[in-house]
Amino acid sequence: MIIDGFAHQLPDIDPHETEEWLDSLAAVVDTRGRPRAQYLMARLIERSRELAVGTPASVSTPYVNTIPREEEPWFPGDYELERHIRAYIRWNAAIMVVRANKAADGLGGHLSTFASSAALYEVGFNHFFRGKEDGDPGDHVYIQGHAAPGIYARAFLEHRLDESDLDRFRREIDAPIGDPPSSGRGLSSYPHPRLMPDFWEYPTVSMGLGPILSIYQARFNKYLHNRRIDDAMTSRVWSFIGDGEVDEPETLGAISLAAREQLDNLTWVVNCNLQRLDGPVRGNGKVIQELEAIFRGSGWNVIKVVWGTGWDELLARDVDGVLLNKMNSTLDGEFQRYAIEPGSYIRENFFGPDPRLRAMVEHLSDADLQNLPRGGHDYQKLYSAYQAATETKGVPTVILAKTIKGWTLGSGFEGRNSTHQIKKMTAAQLMELRDRLHLEEALPDSAFEGDLPPYVRPPFDSDLTQYLLGRRRALDGPLPSRLVRVRRPLQMPADSVFDELLGGSGTQAASTTTAFTRLLRNLCRDPDVGPRIVPIIPDEARTFGMDALFKELGIYSALGQNYEPVDHDLLLSYKESTDGQILEEGISEAGGLADWTAAATSYAHRGVPMVPFFTFYSMFGFQRVGDLIWAAADARARGFLMAATAGRTTLLGEGLQHQDGHSLVLSSTVPVCLSYDPAFAFETALIVKHGLQRMYPGGDPLAGEDVFYYITLYNENYPMPPMPSDTEGGGTSISDGVMKGLYRSATAPGTSGPAATILFSGTAPTETVVAQRELAEHYGVGAELWSATSYQQLRSEALEVERWNRLHPGQTPRVPWVTTELERSAGPIVAVTDFMRAVPDQISRWTPRRYTSLGTDGFGRSDTREALRRYFETDAPHIVLTVLTSLVADGSLDPSALTDAISRYDIPTEVAVPWHG
Ligand SMILES: Cc1ncc(C[n+]2csc(CCOP(=O)(O)OP(=O)(O)O)c2C)c(N)n1
Ligand SMILES: [Mg+2]
């Protein structure tokens, strides 16, 4: 017996009526069969939803189109012309890849992805995607990375690119960025704004990132709108996604947020060609059905486009429900097979077993059966789906379009498991493609005589090109198109915003994290830049002491705050509001990074520069969502990543999974990420101030650089010194030194013995100051202290110099800045960091004297700071011993100092090596 728990817990106010309904249903099943009962139930559910009865929506529907034929809107375009345009685009997309691989074997490229999705894109380009030429930002279109050839082919038809450009597909090196397109510039393999900054907008090729980024882009548009910064509601976010790609956790991981935030400005199109790279996506199941249930369960509007028009009349005659049953019960693995088999096989195996089904298609030839198209290749069906998606209010829409991978490329490609990887076509395959696309007139046999198959496009003044261009003009210009322009100017903050941090904390102990929180608050309070600051925090504001900002700035929520918070009577209560400034992401670093990316690219994607600060547990940044950061760098993001709770010894009891001693190594792998490890509040302020100026000089995005900042923040408290006078001895100003990565923080105490130099960063000053004192007191060593704010910046400059010297033999060699600076100090150099030694070791090639580093290589442990620093051998005694060891090696000190230090500080000498695990 099946019991629906909820119904049995409520009183039945009319058992007689209940019984009548149930008996009727049983009678229908008995007399008319199950399919009829299913039909009636479906109609009842539909009606009850119309009547807002409150019936829970089912998560799945039969395997047919969501939009019935009679609900399809009138198609406003020229069907024939658009089909012809598609044929040209399909041809050139394929030829581009084939030519590239003939010219240079192994260049790669993909034929089958776009072949399956050409109609999905074309209906968008001809009827929906809005461009930017009217001055508005238009739509945000995330294109499947492997479909790039088709997008280039369309740009070719639009006369944005020409043949020489297409021949530079995946040949970027000899074509510097910025060449005029007509000279044949390199076309990147996939959508890379970093490589084609006036063309691509959204990097998508690392699977799963495009989908999650698109959700947060749509959410960010609502944020801008609700905060009255930009009227973003005219822009729609479209994301094209592979059905294999949905297996990436990032793809589906944030879909419930999209529904919760009512992102009706978001449309996803999943290209369900049933295949990924190696084989079927769900051979033993049905990916469309699975996705439908997931999305409906998450509150999305789901539109399935399974069958092309040819199937409509068959379904209309399906009186017994046998066709529907066959559709429902056929597995994707079988559908993939039907895509490659002849019509006779389909007749035998799909329609054949049931005589009622077989009879249904008796009037169709085998060729007809083979050509019954899938919904994702049916322009009218797609148009209907897109139209419905754009009209849907209150929820995001996903269109699940069933296609064939490699469609129109011929039998060697369509539906084959190997299709994703095939990049070459034989002469016979090319002819077959031409015939299939009906391009005989444009491509007579004689066109194939050369070595390479030809590109072909209709003349500029042809009806076809004019139609194509006319459609784009009507939709405000071509896409993709990346444009940096100022729609809403940005103003830089007043200098006074930074004063508090530059002044230091006096005798009061403070951490760089609390200092930064004050800076963030001051920035938000600045009347000019304030509204453009986007504070983003995962569920860690209290950990970082940032909860104080909740009340003042408000937490953004599309729904406002429809409840009285539990802490309403506290001064610093949890305040959500529709115009809240803080994006509190909950426990999702990927979400926070996606937010950050939307804000950090807003200067280009919306013409509205925003300044995002994403503050997170540094351990869960690069290590966890590094690929999103890489994608943001590709997208030319500008902003600040604030690595809180940095360091391997600062988090006391947290241990192995939390103590970060390596994110600075990871961050240094991203070319445009400037990594800083400041020790003092004033350094942090300077880095933010100069960073703002570098990204937006005087507020101007066009003059700024596409870089972003990774800045560590610690939770260790010590008095924060004021910024020293900017004209420190030796000619380098403090702010210059902080930005370039190194400056002298304290001169050596007067001593009779040898000199040494100690570099510190992050929290290391606490131990180095003690070491400096001990060295002077017990060993007569006078050590200078230098703050190394960025080994990465020092290294980068030194590498440039090294390269210049190599390329300019015979000329006076240049000297790296770090070398020149350290020549102003004396004695062996010892660097101390709370990160692993690889961080300071970045400059070891260029230090003018003996160089040793101390760091926290190895897994973290839980204990006190003191115990941890002793364990990692970064405490003051170990610094002293290291300095003495260097001096002895240099012959500047008697070796007896070493045994003295070991016994003075009780340094254990037979302990396990920390980095062995
Ligand atoms: C994160 C990541 N892993 C692996 C790949 C390699 N890869 C490129 S395309 C592809 C298959 C894509 O299948 P699907 O999403 O179904 O797209 P289709 O080409 O079928 O439209 C894979 C595995 C990648 N690009 N990104
Ligand atoms: Mg696929």
Side-chain angles (χ1 to χ4, degrees), residues 242-244 271 273-276 281 405:
D243 51 355
N271 174 18
N273 56 24
L274 315 187
Q275 292 178 242
R276 44 182 166 75
V281 174
K405 194 150 179 172

Side-chain angles (χ1 to χ4, degrees), residues 264-276:
D264 49 11
N265 55 342
L266 176 67
T267 305
W268 276 16
V269 182
V270 185
N271 174 18
C272 298
N273 56 24
L274 315 187
Q275 292 178 242
R276 44 182 166 75

Side-chain angles (χ1 to χ4, degrees), residues 656 856-861 871-872 911-917:
L656 182 152
T856 57
D857 300 59
F859 289 120
R861 294 275 193 288
Y871 168 74
F872 284 113
V911 285
V913 179
W915 55 89
H916 282 180

Side-chain angles (χ1 to χ4, degrees), residues 508-758:
Q508 231 188 348
S511 68
T512 47
T513 310
T514 49
F516 166 68
T517 303
R518 299 183 88 96
L519 177 62
L520 185 61
R521 188 202 57 191
N522 294 348
L523 279 164
C524 290
R525 282 182 183 172
D526 182 86
D528 293 324
V529 83
R532 301 300 185 81
I533 304 291
V534 186
I536 306 165
I537 323 175
D539 193 29
E540 292 292 352
R542 291 179 202 280
T543 313
F544 310 145
M546 289 186 162
D547 44 328
L549 301 177
F550 286 165
K551 179 80 179 210
E552 178 171 345
L553 303 178
I555 295 165
Y556 173 75
S557 161
L559 307 173
Q561 190 163 42
N562 300 319
Y563 62 97
E564 190 170 65
V566 63
D567 54 5
H568 65 101
D569 51 348
L570 297 183
L571 197 59
L572 301 176
S573 63
Y574 196 85
K575 186 182 145 223
E576 300 190 65
S577 71
T578 50
D579 63 354
Q581 188 161 3
I582 298 173
L583 289 170
E584 153 74 67
E585 275 321 326
I587 311 170
S588 171
E589 283 76 15
L593 228 302
D595 267 342
W596 184 82
T597 305
T601 52
S602 175
Y603 72 94
H605 297 159
R606 302 213 54 82
V608 183
M610 302 292 287
V611 183
F613 289 87
F614 177 35
T615 312
F616 51 96
Y617 247 115
S618 72
M619 192 67 159
F620 304 130
F622 273 92
Q623 171 153 297
R624 182 158 188 133
V625 289
D627 204 20
L628 275 163
I629 300 177
W630 185 262
D634 187 346
R636 298 177 166 266
R638 300 184 195 177
F640 296 94
L641 295 173
M642 306 306 294
T645 54
R648 192 95 84 201
T649 65
T650 51
L651 268 174
L652 305 181
E654 291 289 300
L656 182 152
Q657 187 64 70
H658 287 70
Q659 292 168 340
D660 167 33
H662 57 276
S663 69
L664 282 167
V665 177
L666 303 178
S667 69
S668 70
T669 60
V670 179
V672 291
C673 173
L674 311 182
S675 298
Y676 284 90
D677 192 17
F680 302 126
F682 82 82
E683 296 175 357
T684 312
L686 282 178
I687 296 163
V688 170
K689 186 177 177 190
H690 285 260
L692 276 170
Q693 277 302 334
R694 184 158 172 190
M695 296 185 286
Y696 298 108
D700 181 7
L702 288 154
E705 288 179 55
D706 297 340
V707 294
F708 58 85
Y709 288 77
Y710 182 69
I711 307 175
T712 56
L713 297 173
Y714 295 83
N715 64 355
E716 189 159 342
N717 295 312
Y718 41 87
M720 290 291 157
M723 177 177 161
S725 142
D726 216 1
T727 49
E728 195 252 359
T732 309
S733 72
I734 294 288
S735 36
D736 221 30
V738 167
M739 295 317 292
K740 285 180 161 171
L742 186 68
Y743 71 95
R744 176 158 40 208
S745 167
T747 50
T751 57
S752 54
T757 304
I758 302 176

